[in-house]
Amino acid sequence: AIDEINDHHFHYGYFIMAAATVAQYDPQWAEQSRWGGMVNLLIKDVANWDVQDNRFPRLRNFDLYAGHSWASGHGAFGDGNNQESSSEAINFAAGVILWGSVIGDNSLRDLGIFLYMQEVAAIEQVWFDVDDVVFPADYDHHVLGIVWGSKGVYGTYFGSDPEYIHGINYLPLTGGSLYLGRHPDYVLVNYNELIANNGGAPTVWQDLIWEYQALA
């Protein structure tokens, strides 16, 4: 919700990625006096890197202690903050990398790289437990749909279908998604659990799930 300063990295990531693509072909469009200034403003709203700009908190959505972003960051829930789609946080970071690279702003490029690497490490350990050492022994899944400050949930805000629970942490599949293939054996663990819990082949988001499976 806009009034709660939530999910902005999820939403703006798509805009920034699209803007970076446009800027590759139309550098004038991306000048700071034109649309580039607006794109930078979107990035600052989520992850202000400029200590001289006091309009936004420093790295607003990113939690340096936790090592990942929060999508519901107001802390008003009994279980603390939470984030569902870790992969959309990655989409934001990847967009910032591409935008900074295209417009020749190394500070923005490096901000995106920092966010990307931190998010990947958190996803592999906190959302996926790729080394099988993080989740409690009595937790009978290999993925979390939502990470909270005080718990993890095999579920989503919008549905209980396994395709949604697993897929919300795959999408959107872009060049920035290659981190999902860093542990091919885990890809099969994740995918096979989805199929088992679904009782068969996916009936929604099939293309997304097949793209993830291909990384194995």
Side-chain angles (χ1 to χ4, degrees), residues 14 85-88 91 167-173 177 180 205 208:
Y14 292 96
S85 183
S86 61
S87 48
E88 287 184 301
N91 189 53
I168 194 60
N169 285 296
Y170 306 160
L171 62 80
L173 265 293
S177 305
L180 290 170
W205 289 2
L208 177 74

Side-chain angles (χ1 to χ4, degrees), residues 11-143:
H11 303 157
Y12 297 170
Y14 292 96
F15 298 145
I16 295 162
M17 187 68 80
T21 302
V22 171
Q24 292 180 74
Y25 301 97
D26 189 352
Q28 289 185 332
W29 179 92
E31 292 175 357
Q32 288 300 296
S33 60
R34 301 183 72 185
W35 286 104
M38 177 57 72
V39 176
N40 278 15
L41 192 66
L42 292 179
I43 297 172
K44 282 189 173 183
D45 179 273
V46 173
N48 182 22
W49 71 96
D50 184 357
V51 295
Q52 304 301 320
D53 189 343
N54 58 13
R55 292 175 297 174
F56 307 105
R58 185 85 184 274
L59 301 180
R60 172 187 272 157
N61 279 69
F62 188 80
D63 185 336
L64 287 167
Y65 178 78
H68 60 76
S69 301
W70 294 112
S72 293
H74 51 68
F77 295 108
D79 290 308
N81 298 327
N82 71 85
Q83 178 158 269
E84 185 178 57
S85 183
S86 61
S87 48
E88 287 184 301
I90 285 288
N91 189 53
F92 172 82
V96 174
I97 294 171
L98 186 58
W99 174 254
S101 298
V102 169
I103 69 170
D105 188 324
N106 290 346
S107 293
L108 271 175
R109 179 203 62 191
D110 293 348
L111 168 69
I113 292 171
F114 170 78
L115 295 174
Y116 186 95
M117 297 304 297
Q118 294 294 316
E119 297 277 7
V120 166
I123 291 165
E124 290 181 346
Q125 298 303 320
V126 183
W127 271 262
F128 291 165
D129 188 14
V130 295
D131 299 316
D132 196 22
V133 295
V134 175
F135 293 163
D138 59 353
Y139 181 67
D140 58 356
H141 299 287
H142 297 284
V143 62

